[in-house]
Amino acid sequence: MSANAAIAVEYLNVNYRSVQALRNINFAIEPGQLIGVFGPNGAGKSTLVKAMLGLIPVVTGKVYFGDRPLTAQLDRTAYVPQRSQIDWTFPATVWDVVLMGRVQKTGWFNRFSATSKRVAAEALERVGMAEFCDRRIGALSGGQQQRVFLARALAQEADFFFFDEPFVGVDQKTEEILFRIFGELADAGKTVMVVNHDLGESTTNFDRLLLLNRELIAIGTPEQVFTTENMTRAYGGHVNFFSAAA
C-alpha cells in the first residue's frame, strides 16, 4: 500500500448470511481522485461501501484512512445511500435535510450556528436547489432529491465522500451537476467513491475505476480496467461497454 494513500483496504472479507459477499479485497486510493466502482448486480459494490464505513460487520480485514481506522474518523466522511433506501415520506423540507449535514459538527442538541446555516445555504446554491429550500423532500423529482442529498454531503465538509448509485433515476442536468461537483471535490484534494452501473461514456469522467465481482477484478484507469479479459471475468460472456481505448 502507498504510504500516502487516503484510503487503504486490506484483506476485506464479508459474508451475507451464508454467502461470501466479498473475498480478500485489497486496494488503495490516493487523495484527490474520483473513483468509480463497477460490477454486475450482486457483485458486492454497495456491500463494499457499507463494510468500509462499518455499517455492516466484516469477517476479516481492515480499512484505514491515513494511519487510523476509517471507522474512527467517520466525522471526516460523507455517505449518500441509494435513493431506494431513503424514506421519502418523512416530513422534512429541503432545508431540514441539508442542515442535517451539520449535525456532526454542531451536536444533536445544539442550535445551528450562523456558520452552519451559511455552509448549508452555499451547498444548496452550489447544486442549484436554493429556490426549493422550503419544499418537502418527498415532493421533488428524483434528480432534485439526489441534488439535495449531494448538498447535505457538501455541508458536512468531509474529506472522503461515498455515493451509492447516485445516477439512478436522475435527469441529464442532475448527472452533469453531480459529475461537475465530484470533479471539483477531487480537484480540491477530496476523495470521492461512486458506485455506478453505467458502462457508457460517463465512465471517462472517473480518474480510476474499481471493477468488482465479489473479488477485486481490476483497479486503474478506464483503459487499464475495461479490457476484454477483465470484463469477461467480471460479467461473464459478452457485455457491451464503452472503452476509452477503443
Side-chain angles (χ1 to χ4, degrees), residues 20-239:
Q20 190 170 30
L22 294 174
R23 181 169 57 252
N24 210 31
I25 305 295
N26 290 275
F27 64 88
I29 301 174
E30 300 296 328
Q33 292 190 328
L34 174 55
I35 312 297
V37 182
F38 290 83
N41 291 336
K45 302 184 296 294
S46 297
T47 298
L48 174 62
V49 169
K50 292 175 182 177
M52 291 174 67
L53 289 169
L55 297 175
I56 59 175
V58 304
V59 177
T60 61
K62 298 178 180 179
V63 182
Y64 290 99
F65 191 177
D67 59 356
R68 297 173 55 211
L70 178 62
T71 52
Q73 305 178 77
L74 294 181
D75 58 325
R76 298 177 63 190
T77 69
Y79 167 57
V80 178
Q82 294 181 21
R83 290 182 58 249
S84 61
Q85 298 179 10
I86 297 170
D87 180 8
W88 298 108
T89 65
F90 189 77
T93 66
V94 167
W95 181 244
D96 293 333
V97 171
V98 178
L99 269 182
M100 289 177 190
R102 300 298 301 174
V103 168
Q104 185 75 41
K105 296 184 183 300
T106 303
W108 282 102
F109 303 107
N110 297 324
R111 288 188 175 185
F112 291 108
S113 66
T115 297
S116 285
K117 292 177 181 179
R118 174 183 56 78
V119 170
E122 289 174 353
L124 271 174
E125 189 71 38
R126 191 172 176 183
V127 302
M129 291 296 294
E131 64 184 282
F132 295 88
C133 65
D134 295 324
R135 191 79 58 89
R136 286 290 182 93
I137 188 69
L140 303 178
S141 69
Q144 291 169 336
Q145 289 171 343
Q146 194 64 61
R147 280 191 268 163
V148 170
F149 274 81
L150 172 57
R152 186 187 69 168
L154 293 173
Q156 291 179 245
E157 297 182 309
D159 294 310
F160 196 93
F161 294 81
F162 292 88
F163 296 90
D164 195 351
E165 298 279 12
F167 302 111
V168 173
V170 305
D171 54 279
Q172 183 65 32
K173 177 181 179 181
T174 294
E175 181 174 322
E176 291 172 357
I177 290 172
L178 292 177
F179 270 123
R180 173 176 58 80
I181 293 178
F182 292 166
E184 291 171 354
L185 290 170
D187 289 342
K190 311 295 185 180
T191 307
V192 185
M193 178 176 280
V194 179
V195 174
N196 198 9
H197 71 281
D198 179 17
L199 295 175
E201 294 188 25
S202 66
T203 57
T204 59
N205 289 296
F206 295 98
D207 298 312
R208 298 183 81 196
L209 304 180
L210 190 156
L211 185 60
L212 189 71
N213 192 350
R214 300 194 181 182
E215 62 183 9
L216 181 63
I217 304 297
I219 185 169
T221 64
E223 294 89 343
Q224 293 170 331
V225 170
F226 284 159
T227 66
T228 300
E229 179 182 355
N230 288 339
M231 298 301 282
T232 299
R233 285 180 62 198
Y235 291 88
H238 178 73
V239 61

